[in-house]
Amino acid sequence: GTLSEIKERGKLIIGTEPTFPPFEYVDKDNNIVGFDIDIAKKIAEELGVELEIVNLPFDSLIPAIMSDKIDLIIAGMTITKERAKVIDFSIPYFNANQSIVVRKGESFSPKSLNELVGKRVAVQLGTTGDLVVSDIKRIKITRFQKFTDAFLELQNKRVDAVVLDEAVARAYVKKFPKFEVSTVIDTGEKYGIGVKKENTELLEFVNKVISNLFKSPYDVLVEKWF
Ligand code: ARG
């Protein structure tokens, strides 16, 4: 919805896919929490409305915003040319790269995407990880809706590696030390919040909230008094 529709409704509805720690994941009390969720809370707070979080498969987020089921996509989503044809993105709020995760202590420890040729690789459907491996011929790709399922597949030795965003890979490896990051692939990605095209007022509002997040309390004081 537009800025005024959201205020009238008294609720901001964001869409996310919560198997992506520390950006969005389900905690032990079954709440969706994380870095992105705190940004969403901040936007709702600044708007003076409640926050509703809709849990969707990653590849359903863009269709959902286009059909007005959600107001914003906050899902560690990389700003890409293809996606920017159909939705608008906020200013970038996080830098990211892809990485390869394998079972720890085994001989297979690829240092480049090319070493995945002939191997079985799990990715999340529709992500940039999916794109980078799909670009290389003769990788056997299994595409999952949930990263939790991709890692289960790795644990059960039905795939040899999982390719995903580095910060998220680190979070999984920390939680499950049976996995390790074998290498980082420098893809130079930037995350943005997705907004429906032409929804300019909302986009500008979101940009304002993000740029304020980058300001130190000192910057805020200077801006207030000078
Ligand atoms: N940054 C990657 C992309 O944009 C992965 C994002 C996955 N996000 C998630 N919440 N599952 O394709």
Side-chain angles (χ1 to χ4, degrees), residues 8 14 21-22 32 38 61 67 69 80 82 96 98 123 129 147 154 157 162 171 176 187 197 199-200 216 223 225:
E8 206 158 298
I14 69 120
I32 299 177
D38 280 356
L61 291 168
S67 58
K69 290 194 181 74
T80 68
E82 283 304 305
Q98 292 301 301
V123 294
F147 277 117
L154 181 63
K157 307 194 179 189
V162 178
F176 304 107
T187 49
K197 277 211 183 288
N199 200 350
T200 323
S216 70
E223 208 161 279
W225 293 104

PDB file of all heavy atoms in Angstrom, residues 8 14 21-22 32 38 61 67 69 80 82 96 98 123 129 147 154 157 162 171 176 187 197 199-200 216 223 225:
ATOM      1  N   GLU A   8      -3.552   4.694   7.446  1.00  0.00           N
ATOM      2  CA  GLU A   8      -4.984   4.514   7.646  1.00  0.00           C
ATOM      3  C   GLU A   8      -5.303   3.128   8.208  1.00  0.00           C
ATOM      4  O   GLU A   8      -6.102   2.982   9.122  1.00  0.00           O
ATOM      5  CB  GLU A   8      -5.684   4.686   6.294  1.00  0.00           C
ATOM      6  CG  GLU A   8      -7.113   5.145   6.391  1.00  0.00           C
ATOM      7  CD  GLU A   8      -7.520   5.795   5.074  1.00  0.00           C
ATOM      8  OE1 GLU A   8      -6.909   6.814   4.699  1.00  0.00           O
ATOM      9  OE2 GLU A   8      -8.414   5.246   4.415  1.00  0.00           O
ATOM     10  N   ILE A  14       5.118  -6.485   6.124  1.00  0.00           N
ATOM     11  CA  ILE A  14       6.357  -6.795   5.404  1.00  0.00           C
ATOM     12  C   ILE A  14       6.396  -8.300   5.100  1.00  0.00           C
ATOM     13  O   ILE A  14       5.864  -9.120   5.841  1.00  0.00           O
ATOM     14  CB  ILE A  14       7.622  -6.360   6.184  1.00  0.00           C
ATOM     15  CG1 ILE A  14       7.855  -7.213   7.434  1.00  0.00           C
ATOM     16  CG2 ILE A  14       7.558  -4.886   6.578  1.00  0.00           C
ATOM     17  CD1 ILE A  14       9.165  -7.953   7.445  1.00  0.00           C
ATOM     18  N   PRO A  21      19.430 -16.536   9.043  1.00  0.00           N
ATOM     19  CA  PRO A  21      20.027 -15.867  10.203  1.00  0.00           C
ATOM     20  C   PRO A  21      21.337 -15.177   9.827  1.00  0.00           C
ATOM     21  O   PRO A  21      22.037 -15.663   8.957  1.00  0.00           O
ATOM     22  CB  PRO A  21      20.309 -17.035  11.163  1.00  0.00           C
ATOM     23  CG  PRO A  21      20.479 -18.237  10.278  1.00  0.00           C
ATOM     24  CD  PRO A  21      19.531 -18.006   9.123  1.00  0.00           C
ATOM     25  N   PRO A  22      21.742 -14.056  10.428  1.00  0.00           N
ATOM     26  CA  PRO A  22      21.032 -13.363  11.519  1.00  0.00           C
ATOM     27  C   PRO A  22      20.053 -12.300  11.011  1.00  0.00           C
ATOM     28  O   PRO A  22      19.596 -11.490  11.803  1.00  0.00           O
ATOM     29  CB  PRO A  22      22.193 -12.706  12.276  1.00  0.00           C
ATOM     30  CG  PRO A  22      23.153 -12.328  11.187  1.00  0.00           C
ATOM     31  CD  PRO A  22      23.051 -13.422  10.145  1.00  0.00           C
ATOM     32  N   ILE A  32       9.625 -14.522  14.641  1.00  0.00           N
ATOM     33  CA  ILE A  32      10.573 -14.164  13.590  1.00  0.00           C
ATOM     34  C   ILE A  32      11.366 -12.956  14.084  1.00  0.00           C
ATOM     35  O   ILE A  32      10.781 -11.928  14.433  1.00  0.00           O
ATOM     36  CB  ILE A  32       9.855 -13.870  12.260  1.00  0.00           C
ATOM     37  CG1 ILE A  32       9.091 -15.116  11.775  1.00  0.00           C
ATOM     38  CG2 ILE A  32      10.867 -13.425  11.191  1.00  0.00           C
ATOM     39  CD1 ILE A  32       8.291 -14.918  10.501  1.00  0.00           C
ATOM     40  N   ASP A  38      14.497  -5.945  12.959  1.00  0.00           N
ATOM     41  CA  ASP A  38      14.680  -4.710  13.729  1.00  0.00           C
ATOM     42  C   ASP A  38      14.555  -3.482  12.829  1.00  0.00           C
ATOM     43  O   ASP A  38      14.018  -2.458  13.254  1.00  0.00           O
ATOM     44  CB  ASP A  38      16.028  -4.722  14.467  1.00  0.00           C
ATOM     45  CG  ASP A  38      15.967  -5.550  15.747  1.00  0.00           C
ATOM     46  OD1 ASP A  38      14.868  -6.042  16.081  1.00  0.00           O
ATOM     47  OD2 ASP A  38      17.007  -5.703  16.421  1.00  0.00           O
ATOM     48  N   LEU A  61       8.235 -13.542  -2.849  1.00  0.00           N
ATOM     49  CA  LEU A  61       8.215 -12.196  -2.272  1.00  0.00           C
ATOM     50  C   LEU A  61       7.898 -11.128  -3.326  1.00  0.00           C
ATOM     51  O   LEU A  61       7.081 -10.237  -3.072  1.00  0.00           O
ATOM     52  CB  LEU A  61       9.551 -11.910  -1.576  1.00  0.00           C
ATOM     53  CG  LEU A  61       9.794 -12.728  -0.295  1.00  0.00           C
ATOM     54  CD1 LEU A  61      11.253 -12.595   0.157  1.00  0.00           C
ATOM     55  CD2 LEU A  61       8.852 -12.273   0.821  1.00  0.00           C
ATOM     56  N   SER A  67       1.334  -7.840  -6.147  1.00  0.00           N
ATOM     57  CA  SER A  67      -0.130  -7.986  -6.030  1.00  0.00           C
ATOM     58  C   SER A  67      -0.633  -7.368  -4.725  1.00  0.00           C
ATOM     59  O   SER A  67      -1.730  -7.702  -4.258  1.00  0.00           O
ATOM     60  CB  SER A  67      -0.506  -9.467  -6.133  1.00  0.00           C
ATOM     61  OG  SER A  67       0.161 -10.187  -5.116  1.00  0.00           O
ATOM     62  N   LYS A  69      -0.017  -7.773  -1.596  1.00  0.00           N
ATOM     63  CA  LYS A  69      -0.226  -8.585  -0.382  1.00  0.00           C
ATOM     64  C   LYS A  69       0.685  -8.101   0.735  1.00  0.00           C
ATOM     65  O   LYS A  69       0.396  -8.304   1.916  1.00  0.00           O
ATOM     66  CB  LYS A  69       0.032 -10.061  -0.676  1.00  0.00           C
ATOM     67  CG  LYS A  69      -1.023 -10.688  -1.558  1.00  0.00           C
ATOM     68  CD  LYS A  69      -0.923 -12.219  -1.559  1.00  0.00           C
ATOM     69  CE  LYS A  69      -1.973 -12.816  -2.464  1.00  0.00           C
ATOM     70  NZ  LYS A  69      -1.610 -12.624  -3.915  1.00  0.00           N
ATOM     71  N   THR A  80      19.481  -6.429  -7.646  1.00  0.00           N
ATOM     72  CA  THR A  80      19.996  -6.890  -8.942  1.00  0.00           C
ATOM     73  C   THR A  80      19.266  -6.143 -10.061  1.00  0.00           C
ATOM     74  O   THR A  80      18.154  -5.660  -9.858  1.00  0.00           O
ATOM     75  CB  THR A  80      19.787  -8.410  -9.155  1.00  0.00           C
ATOM     76  OG1 THR A  80      18.383  -8.667  -9.280  1.00  0.00           O
ATOM     77  CG2 THR A  80      20.368  -9.235  -8.023  1.00  0.00           C
ATOM     78  N   GLU A  82      17.917  -7.414 -12.742  1.00  0.00           N
ATOM     79  CA  GLU A  82      16.693  -8.121 -13.106  1.00  0.00           C
ATOM     80  C   GLU A  82      15.544  -7.760 -12.166  1.00  0.00           C
ATOM     81  O   GLU A  82      14.431  -7.465 -12.607  1.00  0.00           O
ATOM     82  CB  GLU A  82      16.937  -9.639 -13.077  1.00  0.00           C
ATOM     83  CG  GLU A  82      17.711 -10.154 -14.281  1.00  0.00           C
ATOM     84  CD  GLU A  82      17.049  -9.785 -15.605  1.00  0.00           C
ATOM     85  OE1 GLU A  82      15.858 -10.125 -15.764  1.00  0.00           O
ATOM     86  OE2 GLU A  82      17.707  -9.136 -16.451  1.00  0.00           O
ATOM     87  N   ALA A  96      27.323  -7.790   0.804  1.00  0.00           N
ATOM     88  CA  ALA A  96      27.365  -9.252   0.937  1.00  0.00           C
ATOM     89  C   ALA A  96      28.144  -9.909  -0.200  1.00  0.00           C
ATOM     90  O   ALA A  96      28.334  -9.320  -1.267  1.00  0.00           O
ATOM     91  CB  ALA A  96      25.936  -9.793   0.949  1.00  0.00           C
ATOM     92  N   GLN A  98      28.874 -14.219  -1.807  1.00  0.00           N
ATOM     93  CA  GLN A  98      28.457 -15.620  -1.703  1.00  0.00           C
ATOM     94  C   GLN A  98      29.571 -16.428  -1.026  1.00  0.00           C
ATOM     95  O   GLN A  98      30.718 -15.972  -0.925  1.00  0.00           O
ATOM     96  CB  GLN A  98      28.135 -16.203  -3.079  1.00  0.00           C
ATOM     97  CG  GLN A  98      26.897 -15.584  -3.712  1.00  0.00           C
ATOM     98  CD  GLN A  98      25.658 -15.770  -2.854  1.00  0.00           C
ATOM     99  OE1 GLN A  98      25.276 -16.903  -2.549  1.00  0.00           O
ATOM    100  NE2 GLN A  98      25.030 -14.675  -2.459  1.00  0.00           N
ATOM    101  N   VAL A 123      21.008 -24.991  -3.023  1.00  0.00           N
ATOM    102  CA  VAL A 123      20.839 -23.530  -2.939  1.00  0.00           C
ATOM    103  C   VAL A 123      19.396 -23.239  -2.540  1.00  0.00           C
ATOM    104  O   VAL A 123      18.551 -24.144  -2.523  1.00  0.00           O
ATOM    105  CB  VAL A 123      21.129 -22.831  -4.294  1.00  0.00           C
ATOM    106  CG1 VAL A 123      22.586 -22.973  -4.697  1.00  0.00           C
ATOM    107  CG2 VAL A 123      20.193 -23.339  -5.396  1.00  0.00           C
ATOM    108  N   GLY A 129      22.607 -16.944  -4.897  1.00  0.00           N
ATOM    109  CA  GLY A 129      23.397 -18.179  -4.804  1.00  0.00           C
ATOM    110  C   GLY A 129      22.970 -19.154  -5.907  1.00  0.00           C
ATOM    111  O   GLY A 129      23.802 -19.786  -6.564  1.00  0.00           O
ATOM    112  N   PHE A 147      16.584 -22.651   3.624  1.00  0.00           N
ATOM    113  CA  PHE A 147      17.992 -22.965   3.855  1.00  0.00           C
ATOM    114  C   PHE A 147      18.153 -24.091   4.873  1.00  0.00           C
ATOM    115  O   PHE A 147      19.104 -24.868   4.807  1.00  0.00           O
ATOM    116  CB  PHE A 147      18.753 -21.718   4.317  1.00  0.00           C
ATOM    117  CG  PHE A 147      19.185 -20.848   3.176  1.00  0.00           C
ATOM    118  CD1 PHE A 147      18.710 -19.561   3.042  1.00  0.00           C
ATOM    119  CD2 PHE A 147      20.070 -21.335   2.212  1.00  0.00           C
ATOM    120  CE1 PHE A 147      19.103 -18.751   1.976  1.00  0.00           C
ATOM    121  CE2 PHE A 147      20.471 -20.542   1.139  1.00  0.00           C
ATOM    122  CZ  PHE A 147      19.980 -19.249   1.029  1.00  0.00           C
ATOM    123  N   LEU A 154      22.892 -31.363   3.220  1.00  0.00           N
ATOM    124  CA  LEU A 154      24.357 -31.409   3.326  1.00  0.00           C
ATOM    125  C   LEU A 154      24.761 -32.359   4.459  1.00  0.00           C
ATOM    126  O   LEU A 154      25.659 -33.188   4.300  1.00  0.00           O
ATOM    127  CB  LEU A 154      24.908 -29.994   3.589  1.00  0.00           C
ATOM    128  CG  LEU A 154      26.430 -29.869   3.706  1.00  0.00           C
ATOM    129  CD1 LEU A 154      27.134 -30.262   2.401  1.00  0.00           C
ATOM    130  CD2 LEU A 154      26.830 -28.427   4.097  1.00  0.00           C
ATOM    131  N   LYS A 157      24.505 -35.946   3.576  1.00  0.00           N
ATOM    132  CA  LYS A 157      25.425 -36.279   2.484  1.00  0.00           C
ATOM    133  C   LYS A 157      24.733 -36.509   1.153  1.00  0.00           C
ATOM    134  O   LYS A 157      25.210 -37.235   0.297  1.00  0.00           O
ATOM    135  CB  LYS A 157      26.299 -37.492   2.846  1.00  0.00           C
ATOM    136  CG  LYS A 157      27.022 -37.306   4.185  1.00  0.00           C
ATOM    137  CD  LYS A 157      28.123 -38.315   4.391  1.00  0.00           C
ATOM    138  CE  LYS A 157      28.807 -38.050   5.736  1.00  0.00           C
ATOM    139  NZ  LYS A 157      30.003 -38.822   5.956  1.00  0.00           N
ATOM    140  N   VAL A 162      26.685 -26.266   0.057  1.00  0.00           N
ATOM    141  CA  VAL A 162      25.579 -25.303  -0.017  1.00  0.00           C
ATOM    142  C   VAL A 162      26.212 -23.968  -0.398  1.00  0.00           C
ATOM    143  O   VAL A 162      27.269 -23.609   0.121  1.00  0.00           O
ATOM    144  CB  VAL A 162      24.836 -25.161   1.337  1.00  0.00           C
ATOM    145  CG1 VAL A 162      23.720 -24.115   1.253  1.00  0.00           C
ATOM    146  CG2 VAL A 162      24.264 -26.506   1.798  1.00  0.00           C
ATOM    147  N   ALA A 171      26.666 -17.727  10.226  1.00  0.00           N
ATOM    148  CA  ALA A 171      25.704 -17.958  11.304  1.00  0.00           C
ATOM    149  C   ALA A 171      25.357 -19.451  11.409  1.00  0.00           C
ATOM    150  O   ALA A 171      25.287 -20.001  12.509  1.00  0.00           O
ATOM    151  CB  ALA A 171      24.446 -17.120  11.082  1.00  0.00           C
ATOM    152  N   PHE A 176      26.101 -24.849  13.802  1.00  0.00           N
ATOM    153  CA  PHE A 176      26.351 -26.266  13.486  1.00  0.00           C
ATOM    154  C   PHE A 176      27.809 -26.444  13.089  1.00  0.00           C
ATOM    155  O   PHE A 176      28.152 -26.411  11.901  1.00  0.00           O
ATOM    156  CB  PHE A 176      25.449 -26.732  12.340  1.00  0.00           C
ATOM    157  CG  PHE A 176      23.985 -26.531  12.589  1.00  0.00           C
ATOM    158  CD1 PHE A 176      23.286 -25.527  11.924  1.00  0.00           C
ATOM    159  CD2 PHE A 176      23.285 -27.339  13.483  1.00  0.00           C
ATOM    160  CE1 PHE A 176      21.929 -25.327  12.156  1.00  0.00           C
ATOM    161  CE2 PHE A 176      21.933 -27.151  13.719  1.00  0.00           C
ATOM    162  CZ  PHE A 176      21.254 -26.146  13.051  1.00  0.00           C
ATOM    163  N   THR A 187      31.190 -11.480  -4.764  1.00  0.00           N
ATOM    164  CA  THR A 187      30.147 -11.106  -5.721  1.00  0.00           C
ATOM    165  C   THR A 187      29.737  -9.633  -5.568  1.00  0.00           C
ATOM    166  O   THR A 187      28.970  -9.130  -6.388  1.00  0.00           O
ATOM    167  CB  THR A 187      28.898 -12.004  -5.549  1.00  0.00           C
ATOM    168  OG1 THR A 187      28.549 -12.049  -4.160  1.00  0.00           O
ATOM    169  CG2 THR A 187      29.167 -13.422  -6.034  1.00  0.00           C
ATOM    170  N   LYS A 197       6.928  -0.633  -7.449  1.00  0.00           N
ATOM    171  CA  LYS A 197       7.233   0.490  -8.347  1.00  0.00           C
ATOM    172  C   LYS A 197       6.146   1.559  -8.246  1.00  0.00           C
ATOM    173  O   LYS A 197       4.992   1.250  -8.009  1.00  0.00           O
ATOM    174  CB  LYS A 197       7.359  -0.008  -9.792  1.00  0.00           C
ATOM    175  CG  LYS A 197       8.744  -0.567 -10.070  1.00  0.00           C
ATOM    176  CD  LYS A 197       9.125  -0.355 -11.532  1.00  0.00           C
ATOM    177  CE  LYS A 197      10.473  -0.965 -11.854  1.00  0.00           C
ATOM    178  NZ  LYS A 197      11.615  -0.243 -11.281  1.00  0.00           N
ATOM    179  N   ASN A 199       5.595   3.513  -5.944  1.00  0.00           N
ATOM    180  CA  ASN A 199       5.218   3.807  -4.551  1.00  0.00           C
ATOM    181  C   ASN A 199       6.286   4.741  -3.946  1.00  0.00           C
ATOM    182  O   ASN A 199       6.954   4.401  -2.966  1.00  0.00           O
ATOM    183  CB  ASN A 199       5.086   2.497  -3.768  1.00  0.00           C
ATOM    184  CG  ASN A 199       4.262   2.653  -2.499  1.00  0.00           C
ATOM    185  OD1 ASN A 199       3.940   3.784  -2.103  1.00  0.00           O
ATOM    186  ND2 ASN A 199       3.936   1.544  -1.878  1.00  0.00           N
ATOM    187  N   THR A 200       6.414   5.903  -4.555  1.00  0.00           N
ATOM    188  CA  THR A 200       7.545   6.797  -4.291  1.00  0.00           C
ATOM    189  C   THR A 200       7.604   7.326  -2.864  1.00  0.00           C
ATOM    190  O   THR A 200       8.677   7.394  -2.273  1.00  0.00           O
ATOM    191  CB  THR A 200       7.494   7.987  -5.267  1.00  0.00           C
ATOM    192  OG1 THR A 200       7.027   7.493  -6.520  1.00  0.00           O
ATOM    193  CG2 THR A 200       8.856   8.597  -5.465  1.00  0.00           C
ATOM    194  N   SER A 216      25.346   8.502  13.488  1.00  0.00           N
ATOM    195  CA  SER A 216      25.662   8.309  14.905  1.00  0.00           C
ATOM    196  C   SER A 216      24.813   9.280  15.716  1.00  0.00           C
ATOM    197  O   SER A 216      24.311  10.272  15.171  1.00  0.00           O
ATOM    198  CB  SER A 216      27.136   8.590  15.158  1.00  0.00           C
ATOM    199  OG  SER A 216      27.375   9.970  15.026  1.00  0.00           O
ATOM    200  N   GLU A 223      22.925  17.713  13.397  1.00  0.00           N
ATOM    201  CA  GLU A 223      21.845  18.067  12.478  1.00  0.00           C
ATOM    202  C   GLU A 223      20.742  18.852  13.193  1.00  0.00           C
ATOM    203  O   GLU A 223      20.137  19.762  12.632  1.00  0.00           O
ATOM    204  CB  GLU A 223      21.268  16.789  11.878  1.00  0.00           C
ATOM    205  CG  GLU A 223      20.682  17.005  10.509  1.00  0.00           C
ATOM    206  CD  GLU A 223      20.560  15.693   9.779  1.00  0.00           C
ATOM    207  OE1 GLU A 223      21.568  15.210   9.219  1.00  0.00           O
ATOM    208  OE2 GLU A 223      19.444  15.144   9.807  1.00  0.00           O
ATOM    209  N   TRP A 225      21.094  20.875  15.828  1.00  0.00           N
ATOM    210  CA  TRP A 225      21.460  22.172  16.394  1.00  0.00           C
ATOM    211  C   TRP A 225      22.159  23.135  15.429  1.00  0.00           C
ATOM    212  O   TRP A 225      22.312  24.315  15.755  1.00  0.00           O
ATOM    213  CB  TRP A 225      22.319  21.984  17.646  1.00  0.00           C
ATOM    214  CG  TRP A 225      21.527  21.362  18.755  1.00  0.00           C
ATOM    215  CD1 TRP A 225      21.589  20.067  19.183  1.00  0.00           C
ATOM    216  CD2 TRP A 225      20.514  21.996  19.556  1.00  0.00           C
ATOM    217  NE1 TRP A 225      20.684  19.856  20.193  1.00  0.00           N
ATOM    218  CE2 TRP A 225      20.015  21.024  20.433  1.00  0.00           C
ATOM    219  CE3 TRP A 225      19.965  23.293  19.591  1.00  0.00           C
ATOM    220  CZ2 TRP A 225      19.001  21.304  21.363  1.00  0.00           C
ATOM    221  CZ3 TRP A 225      18.966  23.563  20.525  1.00  0.00           C
ATOM    222  CH2 TRP A 225      18.499  22.567  21.386  1.00  0.00           C
TER     223      TRP A 225
END
